[in-house]
Amino acid sequence: MTHYRIIAACVLIATSPVFSGGVIQMSGNLKTFLNNVNIPPSGSGGFVQPSGNDLADWGDVITQLLAKNYTVAANMAGVQNYDLIRFSDTGSGPGCVYYILREQLSGGTPVRGLGTFAYNPRARRLLNIQSPHPIYYSNTHSQSIDIFIGTQALFWQVAGTHRCANSTAS
């Protein structure tokens, strides 16, 4: 019985994300990872309006990310309920690394419904690919990921909730 526990613990450690100075290290297929972002549906109440200070602080996170100060960006993102993930894309070949700002979860649901962002530090095009209504307009989420990867764009972002997540007008 004891060796099963040891084996289970080794498997858990091998498949868990690795933390490095506030930055989470992960690898896998980027397209699959981004397609599986949790986006609360219509009527979920999942969107929490950011304050002016939140927006200013978020600008600082992006500034640090672009300056390649990843540990600083990760620590600042943590204050905004985000994790910074250094993601090695095994689907695009060796050396394809992206940085993903993913909202932290509470009970499996994003804390504030503010979206997910990916940054390509080796971008070939200064493009920001967006998917503002990923649930409402079918397939736009997946299509935006294909465009981001295919064009080697600088940024990709997807809305954090369905456009009608809250009862107030969207």
Side-chain angles (χ1 to χ4, degrees):
M1 182 85 145
T2 303
H3 13 322
Y4 293 116
R5 287 187 187 143
I6 293 170
I7 292 169
C10 290
V11 169
L12 178 63
I13 290 167
T15 58
S16 297
V18 177
F19 295 89
S20 174
V23 179
I24 299 170
Q25 308 288 325
M26 294 179 76
S27 64
N29 185 291
L30 180 68
K31 182 175 179 177
T32 301
F33 182 82
L34 294 177
N35 263 316
N36 287 307
V37 169
N38 186 341
I39 301 171
S42 177
S44 66
F47 178 73
V48 178
Q49 180 73 37
S51 70
N53 287 338
D54 289 336
L55 295 175
D57 291 345
W58 187 254
D60 294 340
V61 170
I62 300 302
T63 298
Q64 294 300 320
L65 188 65
L66 290 170
K68 297 182 176 25
N69 296 326
Y70 301 122
T71 301
V72 174
N75 292 331
M76 294 173 77
V79 175
Q80 295 294 313
N81 299 306
Y82 270 82
D83 292 320
L84 180 60
I85 300 167
R86 182 185 185 276
F87 194 92
S88 297
D89 181 19
T90 59
S92 297
C96 291
V97 173
Y98 298 85
Y99 287 86
I100 301 168
L101 287 160
R102 180 182 64 185
E103 193 166 5
Q104 296 168 356
L105 304 177
S106 174
T109 303
V111 176
R112 300 188 308 174
L114 299 179
T116 301
F117 307 84
Y119 164 63
N120 179 357
R122 297 180 7 202
R124 293 191 175 216
R125 291 175 181 80
L126 298 177
L127 297 172
N128 179 14
I129 309 302
Q130 302 175 18
S131 181
H133 305 295
I135 299 172
Y136 192 80
Y137 297 122
S138 61
N139 297 322
T140 59
H141 182 176
S142 183
Q143 291 167 346
S144 70
I145 296 166
D146 289 340
I147 294 168
F148 172 66
I149 294 169
T151 62
Q152 298 181 32
L154 183 64
F155 274 107
W156 171 84
Q157 59 191 94
V158 65
T161 63
H162 184 280
R163 66 187 273 176
C164 299
N166 294 26
S167 59
T168 57
S170 60

